[in-house]
Amino acid sequence: MLKEIMIFFGLSIDSFVLMMNKGAQLRNMNMKKISTYALEFAFVAMGMFMFGFLCSKPFIVSIARVKIEIAIACLIILIIGTVIATKAVLNKDFEERLDTSFDCKVLLKQALFTSIDVFFVGVAYGFLEVHAINALIISFVITFLAVSTALLIGYNCGAKYQRIIRLVGGILMIVFGIYLITTYIVMR
Amino acid sequence: MEYHKNLMKISLAENLRSLMLRHMFEKITIKQICDATGVIRATFYNYFSDKYDCLNWIVYHDIVENTKDYVESGDFEKALTAALEVLIQNKQFYRIAYHVTGQNSFEDMIRDNLRILVMKFLEKYRKENFLPQYSNELLSRYDAESLAFNIRMFVNEIGGAKSVEETKQMTLDLMKNSFFDFADVKEVK
């Protein structure tokens, strides 16, 4: 369970930074806004994970290929971590500007975009043939909490710490990817 | 209520001005401005849409608001002097502000606000039937360009430091006289 928490914590970083920026652009904040944003992101994350998990099934063919599939799964996590950490270094500083829009459609697109990595982790879970239910619940809860927290931090403190947050999330995923490779490939 | 609103706006703007003397504009956050003012972060958005908007308001306050009495009386010379005096009092700030470039450059803010000032004069005191084919919009843009040039020279001491009086005189001389007054060329009919 701790593994799932770590993975989804790292995965929620993109959504976290996005919503921290959103919080930094809001004139006023209320529970309705927080819940709407958080639920939208949480459901999308859960949906993308499930979609990825189901997409992996046709590719699980033979026992002989198991190591390759596991390796792919571990690499996916490693790559996602590297991409997140790279974004931390390369992305420009976010410009804090008032945003009066509250468009659920725009938010849905953003939620889908930031959940692409969750799709790939769903694929990875499918290859690793682990139970998806725990992961689904954890992905929902962590995404919900991450988005809610991010909105509050952005609203009260601004979007200053996004680089550090992205870097921490990326490094976490890289470390976990290396751990998985070591556990599932090297040690077996 | 209006008085308090204006006071808060001035307070936020003045704190941005002070922060710019110590930090790069790009690194200043809205939270820093609000902390300096003693308000919560979201309050900033009740007055400005972003820090560029706040910076623009500082320029508007110094160039347009500060000279509105002279607009009313039609005294361009005194309006120019008043604007230059504010600039010289805040010279360090303006020098630093000129480093704000890009899409929302400080130079554009200066130009836009000078255009507003010139437009206010033209709207009230434009000579009737004198070259009516040139709109107030065109004239204000044209004059704002040359005024912005003079202000840049004055603030950054390009060509040597000049006093308010010298800069004012130079500006008025350049505005009153055309190229054909300076150059003995074949005059265009």
Side-chain angles (χ1 to χ4, degrees):
Chain A
M1 179 132 135
L2 183 65
K3 279 183 263 178
E4 271 95 9
I5 291 173
M6 277 178 65
I7 284 189
F8 286 107
F9 178 76
L11 287 173
S12 69
I13 291 296
D14 257 353
S15 308
F16 188 96
V17 169
L18 185 79
M19 296 320 286
M20 195 171 65
N21 293 345
K22 183 73 187 169
Q25 295 179 295
L26 294 175
R27 183 184 276 145
N28 43 47
M29 178 74 77
N30 53 47
M31 282 314 295
K32 185 183 168 190
K33 263 186 194 157
I34 294 175
S35 338
T36 309
Y37 283 130
L39 280 170
E40 198 161 345
F41 271 76
F43 277 117
V44 167
M46 201 168 75
M48 289 292 267
F49 178 86
M50 199 65 225
F51 184 52
F53 189 83
L54 292 171
C55 280
S56 71
K57 291 305 168 194
F59 300 97
I60 300 171
V61 188
S62 68
I63 295 166
R65 288 188 54 190
V66 163
K67 262 212 166 174
I68 296 169
E69 286 158 356
I70 292 170
I72 293 171
C74 298
L75 269 171
I76 285 170
I77 290 166
L78 206 62
I79 289 166
I80 288 168
T82 311
V83 166
I84 292 172
T86 309
K87 269 190 197 177
V89 173
L90 294 178
N91 269 19
K92 275 191 213 174
D93 277 332
F94 174 74
E95 202 55 65
E96 295 172 326
R97 177 167 288 132
L98 176 67
D99 181 3
T100 53
S101 69
F102 186 68
D103 195 332
C104 283
K105 277 186 193 165
V106 170
L107 223 65
L108 183 66
K109 274 187 204 168
Q110 288 173 336
L112 283 165
F113 189 71
T114 56
S115 300
I116 290 172
D117 43 9
V118 181
F119 166 82
F120 285 110
V121 169
V123 170
Y125 263 68
F127 283 161
L128 291 169
E129 293 192 284
V130 293
H131 290 298
I133 302 294
N134 271 357
L136 271 174
I137 295 167
I138 291 168
S139 79
F140 182 91
V141 170
I142 288 190
T143 307
F144 183 91
L145 289 173
V147 168
S148 310
T149 312
L151 279 168
L152 287 166
I153 291 175
Y155 180 72
N156 289 301
C157 305
K160 195 178 172 185
Y161 302 108
Q162 55 181 297
R163 272 191 209 275
I164 296 167
I165 290 166
R166 268 211 169 108
L167 206 59
V168 164
I171 290 169
L172 206 69
M173 294 287 284
I174 291 168
V175 164
F176 194 68
I178 295 169
Y179 164 77
L180 285 176
I181 288 172
T182 315
T183 310
Y184 283 93
I185 314 276
V186 174
M187 302 286 256
R188 281 201 182 166
Chain B
M1 183 75 164
E2 272 304 313
Y3 172 76
H4 284 118
K5 270 185 136 178
N6 212 37
L7 213 61
M8 180 57 74
K9 211 168 181 174
I10 292 170
S11 191
L12 286 165
E14 286 306 315
N15 280 308
L16 172 60
R17 200 198 296 258
S18 310
L19 282 166
M20 281 177 69
L21 296 174
R22 301 192 302 274
H23 307 285
M24 276 177 64
F25 178 77
E26 288 75 21
K27 299 290 179 196
I28 295 171
T29 62
I30 289 172
K31 186 157 193 325
Q32 281 176 301
I33 301 168
C34 291
D35 284 348
T37 315
V39 295
I40 62 165
R41 205 183 153 278
T43 303
F44 184 88
Y45 288 135
N46 289 335
Y47 300 96
F48 303 108
S49 57
D50 54 33
K51 60 185 180 184
Y52 291 93
D53 189 20
C54 188
L55 181 61
N56 185 61
W57 192 84
I58 292 174
V59 179
Y60 174 81
H61 186 265
D62 287 351
I63 290 177
V64 181
E65 274 289 307
N66 185 40
T67 56
K68 63 181 180 195
D69 291 341
Y70 302 119
V71 173
E72 288 304 309
S73 60
D75 196 333
F76 184 81
E77 191 176 328
K78 281 195 175 147
L80 184 59
T81 308
L84 290 171
E85 274 169 359
V86 171
L87 291 176
I88 206 168
Q89 281 163 22
N90 297 281
K91 204 178 216 180
Q92 188 58 19
F93 161 76
Y94 277 94
R95 274 205 191 153
I96 290 167
Y98 268 105
H99 290 112
V100 177
T101 55
Q103 199 182 348
N104 299 304
S105 75
F106 185 71
E107 188 127 27
D108 286 341
M109 291 178 198
I110 290 275
R111 201 175 291 117
D112 287 341
N113 285 291
L114 286 167
R115 184 190 57 77
I116 292 171
L117 177 65
V118 172
M119 182 68 109
K120 282 181 185 292
F121 272 102
L122 286 170
E123 278 170 353
K124 253 181 123 67
Y125 303 106
R126 173 87 190 257
K127 285 178 186 169
E128 270 186 56
N129 302 320
F130 183 76
L131 298 174
Q133 66 269 38
Y134 303 118
S135 66
N136 285 351
E137 177 68 27
L138 178 81
L139 291 172
S140 61
R141 282 187 186 281
Y142 180 83
D143 288 325
E145 287 285 343
S146 62
L147 284 167
F149 168 79
N150 288 335
I151 280 174
R152 192 187 173 95
M153 295 235 316
F154 174 61
V155 166
N156 293 302
E157 294 179 359
I158 299 167
K162 285 189 171 62
S163 66
V164 166
E165 194 55 40
E166 283 170 328
T167 304
K168 181 202 80 180
Q169 194 54 55
M170 184 180 86
T171 307
L172 291 174
D173 286 342
L174 292 174
M175 284 183 95
K176 279 184 210 169
N177 301 287
S178 74
F179 168 75
F180 295 102
D181 292 309
F182 288 103
D184 194 13
V185 295
K186 275 187 194 166
E187 202 159 322
V188 174
K189 290 205 169 68

